[in-house]
Amino acid sequence: MTPDEAVNETASALPGDAGAARRSGRRGRVLVVHSSDELYGSDRIVLEVVAELVAADELDVTVWLPSDVAPGPLGPMLRELGARVERHPLPILRRMKLSPGGFLRLGRDAVRTLARLRGRHFDLVYCATSACLPVAPLARLTGVRRVVGHLQEPWSAKDRVGLRPLASACTALVAVSHSVLGASGLAEDPRAVVVHNGVPHRSRELPTAPPEHRRPHYVIASRWNPHKGHGTLLRAWDAAGCPGELVILGAVPAVGLGIDVAALVKKHVSRPETVLVVGEVDDATPYLQAADAVVLPTDTLEGFGLVTVEAFSEGRPVIASRSGGPEEVIDDGVTGWLFDREDVDGLASLFRDLDVATLGAAGRRAEAAYHRDFTPARMRSRIAAVVDGELGRPTRITTELAEAS
């Protein structure tokens, strides 16, 4: 069966509100549920998903953000796209709140969400991260016939015990990488499709080549979580003789465990003047452009590593741990370099061997890979195909998607 045939078959058999919406010609009502109000990896992907949904004139798009986090930059950006944005108590799974009291709050928020869903009559609910999956069965209980789960995080064996029953309420699943899909245990599930992330090229009136310097400049841009590998990076940096300049962007997460990066620099780096801790910035683009390469030293599994394709879009290669998602993006030795997770010596060896010219050549190849495989248009067309199929709308599946299916 071709992708077009699959969508047409879905449309003809579509029950309930979504089918009625299509037959009556009214705008379909889509709810996107997200777990934060920041502007990191998964948040940027939500922007692209919502932009694609809003671009379809036949859809009325509402986004629910959780009220247990402080208002951040994501909400206003979603409103600028044309979505209706609301903040509510939501049953979001957060590791820091998986306690007896946390489960009570989760149950309370689930009851409130169930009541809210009963009064809104959405045609499709889009759970933008695995943490939002408790909303999926609630939506189905209220009569929502189509629920999409977007898996952006790798699941541990313990995660699978709780998340797979929730995911069973979804009628379609999107995973950001084969690594994430495999970790979920749903690799053979016919509802699931892998859609690699894409990001816009965000350059402005800024230099497109690194400044001239003799020693490489590197940047790391991520939340300051314990598993993001800052300790591994800083130990390797010192072991390699502090071989240039290292800029650290990011901040502790709004919810969850954080680390003191400045203290790690003081503890592990003998020449702290080679490391600049900048912190959180509104736009990392100038820092990517000023660097020769980006480092992604995650100690555990990385769902995708969005900064990898952001770096590629700016013509910068990436040095990353073999942590799952980045292995599907980086061509080792061509568009970047891979090292084993938590391998301080391996990363230090790369730092010793790499120079500005080698990094520049890899960056040019990385930029070509971005334009070929990781543009937002490519990602959005595949997300649109999933949503169109679920709602029984006329398909917008592209030739590129048909060939990939």
Side-chain angles (χ1 to χ4, degrees):
M1 180 179 292
T2 68
D4 285 358
E5 289 170 342
V7 171
N8 290 334
E9 182 176 88
T10 302
S12 63
L14 192 66
D17 290 343
R22 183 169 181 237
R23 290 189 295 271
S24 68
R26 73 167 173 81
R27 299 182 78 192
R29 300 187 181 98
V30 176
L31 170 66
V32 178
V33 182
H34 188 47
S35 52
S36 77
D37 196 1
E38 299 179 282
L39 210 54
Y40 286 90
S42 64
D43 312 300
R44 294 186 186 280
I45 296 308
V46 169
L47 281 173
E48 295 298 331
V49 170
V50 170
E52 181 61 31
L53 296 174
V54 170
D57 292 336
E58 300 88 349
L59 299 181
D60 181 81
V61 183
T62 299
V63 182
W64 285 357
L65 299 178
S67 59
D68 67 332
V69 298
L74 180 62
M77 296 179 74
L78 291 167
R79 289 188 181 94
E80 288 179 10
L81 291 174
R84 181 184 301 104
V85 179
E86 304 170 8
R87 292 174 60 86
H88 297 293
L90 298 172
I92 302 299
L93 294 172
R94 305 195 191 280
R95 296 186 191 280
M96 288 292 291
K97 296 187 177 181
L98 297 183
S99 62
F103 280 115
L104 286 174
R105 286 189 292 272
L106 192 69
R108 177 199 63 196
D109 293 340
V111 170
R112 292 177 175 177
T113 300
L114 184 67
R116 197 174 301 113
L117 285 166
R118 288 190 191 281
R120 300 294 287 269
H121 307 294
F122 293 108
D123 300 310
L124 181 143
V125 171
Y126 196 107
C127 298
T129 66
S130 297
C132 303
L133 284 177
V135 176
L138 300 177
R140 298 300 297 276
L141 282 172
T142 62
V144 178
R145 300 298 183 93
R146 302 297 172 187
V147 179
V148 179
H150 201 146
L151 312 184
Q152 302 205 46
E153 314 85 358
W155 298 356
S156 67
K158 185 180 294 186
D159 292 334
R160 286 195 294 272
V161 173
L163 290 175
R164 286 189 64 175
L166 299 175
S168 68
C170 297
T171 54
L173 295 166
V174 176
V176 298
S177 66
H178 293 282
S179 175
V180 163
L181 186 57
S184 72
L186 299 169
E188 304 301 322
D189 195 311
R191 298 172 299 161
V193 62
V194 172
V195 178
H196 284 145
N197 290 333
V199 296
H201 181 58
R202 304 176 68 219
S203 288
R204 300 172 184 171
E205 297 298 322
L206 295 166
T208 57
E212 293 186 3
H213 45 253
R214 294 184 178 180
R215 307 186 78 196
H217 291 190
Y218 299 95
V219 63
I220 174 175
S222 71
R223 285 188 178 96
W224 293 355
N225 295 112
H227 66 276
K228 285 295 186 178
H230 291 85
T232 297
L233 168 62
L234 293 170
R235 288 192 293 271
W237 184 255
D238 193 66
C242 303
E245 178 183 287
L246 174 63
V247 173
I248 302 177
L249 307 180
V252 296
V255 179
L257 292 174
I259 57 171
D260 187 339
V261 168
L264 288 177
V265 173
K266 184 176 181 180
K267 177 179 179 180
H268 295 301
V269 180
S270 58
R271 294 179 56 202
E273 71 276 8
T274 65
V275 180
L276 177 62
V277 180
V278 174
E280 192 163 26
V281 296
D282 292 333
D283 183 4
T285 304
Y287 296 91
L288 298 181
Q289 293 180 325
D292 298 294
V294 171
V295 189
L296 184 62
T298 312
D299 287 337
T300 56
L301 286 176
E302 185 77 56
F304 185 78
L306 195 65
V307 71
T308 304
V309 292
E310 289 178 326
F312 280 18
S313 76
E314 297 296 339
R316 304 297 181 260
V318 177
I319 302 169
S321 61
R322 290 186 174 88
S323 51
E327 297 177 78
E328 298 177 30
V329 179
I330 298 168
D331 188 352
D332 192 17
V334 178
T335 59
W337 291 265
L338 297 169
F339 65 96
D340 292 337
R341 282 179 279 167
E342 300 185 86
D343 184 359
V344 171
D345 293 338
L347 178 54
S349 179
L350 287 174
F351 281 142
R352 293 189 197 98
D353 292 342
L354 294 171
D355 56 36
V356 172
T358 302
L359 294 169
R364 290 187 287 275
R365 296 189 291 267
E367 187 170 12
Y370 163 77
H371 288 293
R372 183 181 65 244
D373 297 327
F374 302 110
T375 61
R378 178 181 172 90
M379 181 193 73
R380 286 172 57 167
S381 69
R382 303 197 76 196
I383 295 294
V386 173
V387 173
D388 289 346
E390 290 297 289
L391 288 175
R393 300 176 63 241
T395 181
R396 291 173 286 164
I397 294 179
T398 63
T399 300
E400 173 185 83
L401 176 58
E403 292 174 349
S405 297

